[in-house]
Amino acid sequence: MSTTGTSLRVTSLAERPDLEEAMIMMESSWPAYIRPEPLLVDWALRRHAEYQLVVLDEEDRVVARAAAVPFAWDGDPDGLPDTGWDETLRQCLTDTAAGREPTALCALEIAVVPGRLAQNLSGYTLRALTDRARERGLGDVVVPVRPSGKHRYPWQPLAEYLARRRPDGLPEDPWLRVHVRAGGEVLRVCPASMTISGSLAQWRQWTGLPLDADGPVELPGALTPLTVNTTHDHAVYVEPNVWVRHRLTGRRP
């Protein structure tokens, strides 16, 4: 299946473990300061390799990726954590250790190489992930979506940003629009989906900013401002995301 006029193939790290490094090292548009817990991410890549997908072009190059983890969820939207990305990854670890049967898949990331962003590979990769979850008998794919246009409005509350609509009624945000067109249901904001803290020296290295005064600071690519505390020599970035649900039960491939 292809939406770009080239021959695309989807595989997983379970099928092609040799692609793990290429998947991890794939160029993406994530800011340098987005640094998920490496031990948990490494564990997820290996323990649930069947849900780590890569999209290959005709030359066997990785042009998109999807990282996801299964977890036990009762289907109640209120049960999805406010600390979306971070907590769902920890819940997957807990569920796996306890032997609980997963019921849903959480997509932690869907990324496309920057040179292919205009070719609908994001929608293609999202569909591949939902197909994989359906094949495994899971009922839902949930995503703590990082709205791709929110960085242009870092001071606007995410709930207000979500209210932005195009004349056709679809979300103004491009990535949310991909999810809605794919049948996704926007549930609610998860206000602290990912928390990243570090010393001021670390943040200066990641951002190139002086960070020499207390208070909120705009960061390139950030959805909300960074909070700087010079007295204690640290800064904290708390990123909100948007929970989106793709129901799979009863849907045909």
Side-chain angles (χ1 to χ4, degrees):
M1 178 176 63
S2 171
T3 58
T4 65
T6 61
S7 178
L8 298 178
R9 290 166 292 119
V10 179
T11 188
S12 72
L13 292 188
E15 300 156 310
R16 290 283 307 273
D18 59 298
L19 291 173
E20 180 179 328
E21 182 177 0
M23 177 184 181
I24 294 172
M25 299 303 295
M26 186 196 88
E27 183 184 4
S28 72
S29 56
W30 285 95
Y33 49 83
I34 299 292
R35 305 173 67 83
E37 171 54 51
L39 290 178
L40 276 179
V41 172
D42 186 65
W43 171 84
L45 287 177
R46 289 173 169 78
R47 180 61 179 80
H48 296 291
E50 71 272 25
Y51 295 116
Q52 318 313 316
L53 305 184
V54 293
V55 179
L56 303 171
D57 67 8
E58 65 279 3
E59 297 181 19
D60 217 35
R61 296 174 300 196
V62 177
V63 294
R65 67 189 180 199
V69 291
F71 70 114
W73 178 49
D74 63 6
D76 181 0
D78 290 337
L80 294 172
D82 288 339
T83 49
W85 206 104
D86 288 341
E87 183 57 33
T88 305
L89 187 53
R90 285 191 289 266
Q91 184 176 337
C92 172
L93 176 63
T94 301
D95 288 344
T96 302
R100 282 188 283 270
E101 188 72 21
T103 60
L105 189 69
C106 180
L108 300 174
E109 179 194 29
I110 295 173
V112 176
V113 295
R116 307 288 291 262
L117 290 174
Q119 299 177 357
N120 195 32
L121 277 177
S122 58
Y124 179 93
T125 309
L126 173 61
R127 179 175 176 182
L129 190 63
T130 56
D131 285 348
R132 176 58 57 98
R134 185 184 290 107
E135 291 166 2
R136 296 299 189 274
L138 301 178
D140 295 276
V141 171
V142 293
V143 190
V145 172
R146 186 178 200 265
S148 59
K150 175 64 171 69
H151 66 92
R152 296 194 297 267
Y153 311 96
W155 300 96
Q156 183 176 37
L158 184 51
E160 291 183 11
Y161 178 77
L162 288 181
R164 292 173 174 264
R165 290 288 186 273
R166 303 194 320 174
D168 60 6
L170 290 171
E172 183 179 294
D173 185 82
W175 188 212
L176 281 171
R177 196 161 60 246
V178 170
H179 282 274
V180 171
R181 281 176 168 159
E185 175 189 2
V186 177
L187 298 177
R188 61 181 176 83
V189 170
C190 47
S193 185
M194 185 183 296
T195 298
I196 301 167
S197 60
S199 69
L200 295 185
Q202 287 177 302
W203 279 101
R204 288 170 185 139
Q205 180 182 3
W206 296 334
T207 66
L209 298 175
L211 304 178
D212 53 6
D214 290 339
V217 176
E218 281 191 40
L219 295 181
L223 308 193
T224 59
L226 174 75
T227 301
V228 175
N229 188 317
T230 59
T231 301
H232 297 288
D233 188 34
H234 78 273
V236 180
Y237 174 64
V238 180
E239 177 165 295
N241 289 164
V242 182
W243 277 119
V244 174
R245 176 184 198 172
H246 294 267
R247 297 176 185 263
L248 306 181
T249 304
R251 291 175 59 187
R252 293 180 296 176

PDB file of all heavy atoms in Angstrom, residues 13 22 50 62 73 78 109 121 123 135 142 151 179 182 188 196 203 206 214 226 228 236 238:
ATOM      1  N   LEU A  13       9.879  -4.187  14.683  1.00  0.00           N
ATOM      2  CA  LEU A  13      11.174  -4.612  15.206  1.00  0.00           C
ATOM      3  C   LEU A  13      11.170  -6.083  15.588  1.00  0.00           C
ATOM      4  O   LEU A  13      12.233  -6.707  15.671  1.00  0.00           O
ATOM      5  CB  LEU A  13      11.570  -3.760  16.407  1.00  0.00           C
ATOM      6  CG  LEU A  13      11.891  -2.284  16.117  1.00  0.00           C
ATOM      7  CD1 LEU A  13      12.449  -1.616  17.367  1.00  0.00           C
ATOM      8  CD2 LEU A  13      12.857  -2.129  14.944  1.00  0.00           C
ATOM      9  N   ALA A  22      18.368   2.049  13.207  1.00  0.00           N
ATOM     10  CA  ALA A  22      17.881   2.965  12.174  1.00  0.00           C
ATOM     11  C   ALA A  22      16.591   3.646  12.614  1.00  0.00           C
ATOM     12  O   ALA A  22      16.365   4.830  12.327  1.00  0.00           O
ATOM     13  CB  ALA A  22      17.662   2.212  10.865  1.00  0.00           C
ATOM     14  N   GLU A  50       6.763  -6.026  18.718  1.00  0.00           N
ATOM     15  CA  GLU A  50       5.753  -6.170  17.661  1.00  0.00           C
ATOM     16  C   GLU A  50       4.954  -4.894  17.436  1.00  0.00           C
ATOM     17  O   GLU A  50       4.292  -4.734  16.403  1.00  0.00           O
ATOM     18  CB  GLU A  50       4.809  -7.326  17.975  1.00  0.00           C
ATOM     19  CG  GLU A  50       3.846  -7.090  19.143  1.00  0.00           C
ATOM     20  CD  GLU A  50       4.426  -7.480  20.488  1.00  0.00           C
ATOM     21  OE1 GLU A  50       5.666  -7.484  20.644  1.00  0.00           O
ATOM     22  OE2 GLU A  50       3.628  -7.792  21.394  1.00  0.00           O
ATOM     23  N   VAL A  62      14.452   3.871   6.431  1.00  0.00           N
ATOM     24  CA  VAL A  62      13.368   4.183   7.355  1.00  0.00           C
ATOM     25  C   VAL A  62      12.908   5.616   7.107  1.00  0.00           C
ATOM     26  O   VAL A  62      13.686   6.566   7.251  1.00  0.00           O
ATOM     27  CB  VAL A  62      13.827   4.019   8.817  1.00  0.00           C
ATOM     28  CG1 VAL A  62      12.717   4.430   9.774  1.00  0.00           C
ATOM     29  CG2 VAL A  62      14.240   2.572   9.083  1.00  0.00           C
ATOM     30  N   TRP A  73      -6.723  -1.117  29.946  1.00  0.00           N
ATOM     31  CA  TRP A  73      -7.573   0.065  30.097  1.00  0.00           C
ATOM     32  C   TRP A  73      -9.024  -0.376  30.006  1.00  0.00           C
ATOM     33  O   TRP A  73      -9.383  -1.177  29.140  1.00  0.00           O
ATOM     34  CB  TRP A  73      -7.245   1.096  29.017  1.00  0.00           C
ATOM     35  CG  TRP A  73      -8.080   2.334  29.042  1.00  0.00           C
ATOM     36  CD1 TRP A  73      -8.363   3.121  30.116  1.00  0.00           C
ATOM     37  CD2 TRP A  73      -8.747   2.934  27.925  1.00  0.00           C
ATOM     38  NE1 TRP A  73      -9.157   4.183  29.745  1.00  0.00           N
ATOM     39  CE2 TRP A  73      -9.403   4.089  28.410  1.00  0.00           C
ATOM     40  CE3 TRP A  73      -8.852   2.615  26.565  1.00  0.00           C
ATOM     41  CZ2 TRP A  73     -10.160   4.922  27.580  1.00  0.00           C
ATOM     42  CZ3 TRP A  73      -9.590   3.451  25.738  1.00  0.00           C
ATOM     43  CH2 TRP A  73     -10.241   4.584  26.250  1.00  0.00           C
ATOM     44  N   ASP A  78     -12.047   8.864  31.502  1.00  0.00           N
ATOM     45  CA  ASP A  78     -11.556   9.467  32.739  1.00  0.00           C
ATOM     46  C   ASP A  78     -10.411   8.661  33.352  1.00  0.00           C
ATOM     47  O   ASP A  78      -9.681   9.167  34.217  1.00  0.00           O
ATOM     48  CB  ASP A  78     -12.689   9.602  33.756  1.00  0.00           C
ATOM     49  CG  ASP A  78     -13.706  10.657  33.349  1.00  0.00           C
ATOM     50  OD1 ASP A  78     -13.347  11.557  32.564  1.00  0.00           O
ATOM     51  OD2 ASP A  78     -14.865  10.573  33.796  1.00  0.00           O
ATOM     52  N   GLU A 109       4.547   7.647  19.918  1.00  0.00           N
ATOM     53  CA  GLU A 109       5.100   8.521  18.884  1.00  0.00           C
ATOM     54  C   GLU A 109       4.742   7.998  17.512  1.00  0.00           C
ATOM     55  O   GLU A 109       4.749   6.787  17.261  1.00  0.00           O
ATOM     56  CB  GLU A 109       6.629   8.594  18.999  1.00  0.00           C
ATOM     57  CG  GLU A 109       7.264   9.464  17.932  1.00  0.00           C
ATOM     58  CD  GLU A 109       8.772   9.297  17.812  1.00  0.00           C
ATOM     59  OE1 GLU A 109       9.271   8.196  18.109  1.00  0.00           O
ATOM     60  OE2 GLU A 109       9.439  10.266  17.410  1.00  0.00           O
ATOM     61  N   LEU A 121       2.543  10.528   5.005  1.00  0.00           N
ATOM     62  CA  LEU A 121       3.099   9.360   5.679  1.00  0.00           C
ATOM     63  C   LEU A 121       2.622   9.249   7.116  1.00  0.00           C
ATOM     64  O   LEU A 121       2.588   8.150   7.675  1.00  0.00           O
ATOM     65  CB  LEU A 121       4.632   9.423   5.643  1.00  0.00           C
ATOM     66  CG  LEU A 121       5.295   8.918   4.370  1.00  0.00           C
ATOM     67  CD1 LEU A 121       6.796   9.113   4.449  1.00  0.00           C
ATOM     68  CD2 LEU A 121       4.965   7.459   4.130  1.00  0.00           C
ATOM     69  N   GLY A 123      -0.460   9.807   8.242  1.00  0.00           N
ATOM     70  CA  GLY A 123      -1.705   9.061   8.192  1.00  0.00           C
ATOM     71  C   GLY A 123      -1.495   7.605   7.822  1.00  0.00           C
ATOM     72  O   GLY A 123      -2.153   6.705   8.369  1.00  0.00           O
ATOM     73  N   GLU A 135      -5.213  -6.453  14.650  1.00  0.00           N
ATOM     74  CA  GLU A 135      -4.761  -7.829  14.415  1.00  0.00           C
ATOM     75  C   GLU A 135      -4.466  -8.559  15.725  1.00  0.00           C
ATOM     76  O   GLU A 135      -4.643  -9.774  15.824  1.00  0.00           O
ATOM     77  CB  GLU A 135      -3.500  -7.820  13.550  1.00  0.00           C
ATOM     78  CG  GLU A 135      -3.732  -7.379  12.112  1.00  0.00           C
ATOM     79  CD  GLU A 135      -2.422  -7.053  11.414  1.00  0.00           C
ATOM     80  OE1 GLU A 135      -1.345  -7.220  12.044  1.00  0.00           O
ATOM     81  OE2 GLU A 135      -2.467  -6.616  10.253  1.00  0.00           O
ATOM     82  N   VAL A 142      -5.127   4.553  21.747  1.00  0.00           N
ATOM     83  CA  VAL A 142      -5.221   5.893  22.315  1.00  0.00           C
ATOM     84  C   VAL A 142      -3.879   6.584  22.118  1.00  0.00           C
ATOM     85  O   VAL A 142      -2.826   5.945  22.130  1.00  0.00           O
ATOM     86  CB  VAL A 142      -5.621   5.876  23.800  1.00  0.00           C
ATOM     87  CG1 VAL A 142      -7.042   5.365  23.964  1.00  0.00           C
ATOM     88  CG2 VAL A 142      -4.657   5.048  24.627  1.00  0.00           C
ATOM     89  N   HIS A 151       3.018  25.008  19.000  1.00  0.00           N
ATOM     90  CA  HIS A 151       4.223  25.760  19.351  1.00  0.00           C
ATOM     91  C   HIS A 151       4.162  27.204  18.880  1.00  0.00           C
ATOM     92  O   HIS A 151       4.892  28.056  19.391  1.00  0.00           O
ATOM     93  CB  HIS A 151       5.465  25.064  18.768  1.00  0.00           C
ATOM     94  CG  HIS A 151       5.513  25.080  17.267  1.00  0.00           C
ATOM     95  ND1 HIS A 151       6.156  26.072  16.554  1.00  0.00           N
ATOM     96  CD2 HIS A 151       4.983  24.236  16.349  1.00  0.00           C
ATOM     97  CE1 HIS A 151       6.030  25.826  15.261  1.00  0.00           C
ATOM     98  NE2 HIS A 151       5.326  24.731  15.112  1.00  0.00           N
ATOM     99  N   HIS A 179      -5.757  12.725  12.768  1.00  0.00           N
ATOM    100  CA  HIS A 179      -6.414  11.755  13.642  1.00  0.00           C
ATOM    101  C   HIS A 179      -7.932  11.774  13.461  1.00  0.00           C
ATOM    102  O   HIS A 179      -8.573  10.712  13.406  1.00  0.00           O
ATOM    103  CB  HIS A 179      -6.057  12.037  15.099  1.00  0.00           C
ATOM    104  CG  HIS A 179      -4.699  11.546  15.482  1.00  0.00           C
ATOM    105  ND1 HIS A 179      -4.470  10.252  15.908  1.00  0.00           N
ATOM    106  CD2 HIS A 179      -3.498  12.164  15.492  1.00  0.00           C
ATOM    107  CE1 HIS A 179      -3.184  10.100  16.169  1.00  0.00           C
ATOM    108  NE2 HIS A 179      -2.572  11.238  15.933  1.00  0.00           N
ATOM    109  N   ALA A 182      -9.028  10.127  10.392  1.00  0.00           N
ATOM    110  CA  ALA A 182      -8.863   8.668  10.502  1.00  0.00           C
ATOM    111  C   ALA A 182      -9.890   8.039  11.439  1.00  0.00           C
ATOM    112  O   ALA A 182      -9.821   6.837  11.708  1.00  0.00           O
ATOM    113  CB  ALA A 182      -7.452   8.336  10.977  1.00  0.00           C
ATOM    114  N   ARG A 188      -9.864  14.734  25.575  1.00  0.00           N
ATOM    115  CA  ARG A 188      -9.590  15.816  26.513  1.00  0.00           C
ATOM    116  C   ARG A 188      -8.103  16.097  26.553  1.00  0.00           C
ATOM    117  O   ARG A 188      -7.290  15.334  26.018  1.00  0.00           O
ATOM    118  CB  ARG A 188     -10.082  15.463  27.917  1.00  0.00           C
ATOM    119  CG  ARG A 188      -9.428  14.237  28.526  1.00  0.00           C
ATOM    120  CD  ARG A 188      -9.975  13.916  29.899  1.00  0.00           C
ATOM    121  NE  ARG A 188      -9.434  12.699  30.457  1.00  0.00           N
ATOM    122  CZ  ARG A 188      -8.275  12.604  31.096  1.00  0.00           C
ATOM    123  NH1 ARG A 188      -7.527  13.700  31.250  1.00  0.00           N
ATOM    124  NH2 ARG A 188      -7.843  11.459  31.578  1.00  0.00           N
ATOM    125  N   ILE A 196       9.957  17.302  31.760  1.00  0.00           N
ATOM    126  CA  ILE A 196      11.396  17.234  31.533  1.00  0.00           C
ATOM    127  C   ILE A 196      12.061  18.291  32.393  1.00  0.00           C
ATOM    128  O   ILE A 196      11.751  19.487  32.282  1.00  0.00           O
ATOM    129  CB  ILE A 196      11.734  17.462  30.053  1.00  0.00           C
ATOM    130  CG1 ILE A 196      11.029  16.409  29.193  1.00  0.00           C
ATOM    131  CG2 ILE A 196      13.242  17.424  29.823  1.00  0.00           C
ATOM    132  CD1 ILE A 196      11.025  16.710  27.730  1.00  0.00           C
ATOM    133  N   TRP A 203      19.874  22.805  30.077  1.00  0.00           N
ATOM    134  CA  TRP A 203      18.911  23.507  29.231  1.00  0.00           C
ATOM    135  C   TRP A 203      19.592  24.483  28.282  1.00  0.00           C
ATOM    136  O   TRP A 203      19.146  24.665  27.147  1.00  0.00           O
ATOM    137  CB  TRP A 203      17.869  24.215  30.094  1.00  0.00           C
ATOM    138  CG  TRP A 203      16.801  23.296  30.574  1.00  0.00           C
ATOM    139  CD1 TRP A 203      16.670  22.724  31.801  1.00  0.00           C
ATOM    140  CD2 TRP A 203      15.698  22.796  29.794  1.00  0.00           C
ATOM    141  NE1 TRP A 203      15.570  21.913  31.848  1.00  0.00           N
ATOM    142  CE2 TRP A 203      14.938  21.937  30.637  1.00  0.00           C
ATOM    143  CE3 TRP A 203      15.268  23.000  28.491  1.00  0.00           C
ATOM    144  CZ2 TRP A 203      13.797  21.285  30.193  1.00  0.00           C
ATOM    145  CZ3 TRP A 203      14.128  22.344  28.043  1.00  0.00           C
ATOM    146  CH2 TRP A 203      13.403  21.500  28.888  1.00  0.00           C
ATOM    147  N   TRP A 206      20.759  22.366  25.443  1.00  0.00           N
ATOM    148  CA  TRP A 206      19.675  21.891  24.590  1.00  0.00           C
ATOM    149  C   TRP A 206      19.074  22.995  23.728  1.00  0.00           C
ATOM    150  O   TRP A 206      18.612  22.748  22.616  1.00  0.00           O
ATOM    151  CB  TRP A 206      18.560  21.284  25.450  1.00  0.00           C
ATOM    152  CG  TRP A 206      18.966  20.056  26.204  1.00  0.00           C
ATOM    153  CD1 TRP A 206      19.957  19.169  25.875  1.00  0.00           C
ATOM    154  CD2 TRP A 206      18.388  19.571  27.421  1.00  0.00           C
ATOM    155  NE1 TRP A 206      20.033  18.166  26.814  1.00  0.00           N
ATOM    156  CE2 TRP A 206      19.087  18.383  27.773  1.00  0.00           C
ATOM    157  CE3 TRP A 206      17.351  20.013  28.238  1.00  0.00           C
ATOM    158  CZ2 TRP A 206      18.768  17.645  28.915  1.00  0.00           C
ATOM    159  CZ3 TRP A 206      17.039  19.274  29.378  1.00  0.00           C
ATOM    160  CH2 TRP A 206      17.740  18.111  29.713  1.00  0.00           C
ATOM    161  N   ASP A 214      14.756  34.371  36.311  1.00  0.00           N
ATOM    162  CA  ASP A 214      13.655  33.524  36.744  1.00  0.00           C
ATOM    163  C   ASP A 214      12.399  33.786  35.919  1.00  0.00           C
ATOM    164  O   ASP A 214      12.195  34.878  35.393  1.00  0.00           O
ATOM    165  CB  ASP A 214      13.330  33.778  38.217  1.00  0.00           C
ATOM    166  CG  ASP A 214      14.413  33.273  39.151  1.00  0.00           C
ATOM    167  OD1 ASP A 214      15.193  32.401  38.725  1.00  0.00           O
ATOM    168  OD2 ASP A 214      14.480  33.747  40.294  1.00  0.00           O
ATOM    169  N   LEU A 226       8.931  27.279  29.275  1.00  0.00           N
ATOM    170  CA  LEU A 226       9.805  26.645  30.246  1.00  0.00           C
ATOM    171  C   LEU A 226       9.819  27.480  31.519  1.00  0.00           C
ATOM    172  O   LEU A 226       9.835  28.711  31.460  1.00  0.00           O
ATOM    173  CB  LEU A 226      11.223  26.562  29.675  1.00  0.00           C
ATOM    174  CG  LEU A 226      12.347  26.054  30.579  1.00  0.00           C
ATOM    175  CD1 LEU A 226      12.246  24.541  30.747  1.00  0.00           C
ATOM    176  CD2 LEU A 226      13.713  26.441  29.989  1.00  0.00           C
ATOM    177  N   VAL A 228      11.945  28.664  34.621  1.00  0.00           N
ATOM    178  CA  VAL A 228      13.351  28.758  35.019  1.00  0.00           C
ATOM    179  C   VAL A 228      13.455  29.198  36.476  1.00  0.00           C
ATOM    180  O   VAL A 228      12.762  30.134  36.904  1.00  0.00           O
ATOM    181  CB  VAL A 228      14.107  29.759  34.116  1.00  0.00           C
ATOM    182  CG1 VAL A 228      15.549  29.949  34.594  1.00  0.00           C
ATOM    183  CG2 VAL A 228      14.074  29.292  32.665  1.00  0.00           C
ATOM    184  N   VAL A 236      12.182  23.507  34.385  1.00  0.00           N
ATOM    185  CA  VAL A 236      11.222  22.415  34.175  1.00  0.00           C
ATOM    186  C   VAL A 236      10.292  22.759  33.015  1.00  0.00           C
ATOM    187  O   VAL A 236       9.758  23.876  32.948  1.00  0.00           O
ATOM    188  CB  VAL A 236      10.391  22.141  35.446  1.00  0.00           C
ATOM    189  CG1 VAL A 236       9.396  21.008  35.192  1.00  0.00           C
ATOM    190  CG2 VAL A 236      11.286  21.792  36.619  1.00  0.00           C
ATOM    191  N   VAL A 238       6.866  21.311  31.299  1.00  0.00           N
ATOM    192  CA  VAL A 238       5.731  20.397  31.437  1.00  0.00           C
ATOM    193  C   VAL A 238       4.882  20.529  30.173  1.00  0.00           C
ATOM    194  O   VAL A 238       4.302  21.594  29.920  1.00  0.00           O
ATOM    195  CB  VAL A 238       4.890  20.710  32.688  1.00  0.00           C
ATOM    196  CG1 VAL A 238       3.716  19.730  32.795  1.00  0.00           C
ATOM    197  CG2 VAL A 238       5.749  20.645  33.939  1.00  0.00           C
TER     198      VAL A 238
END
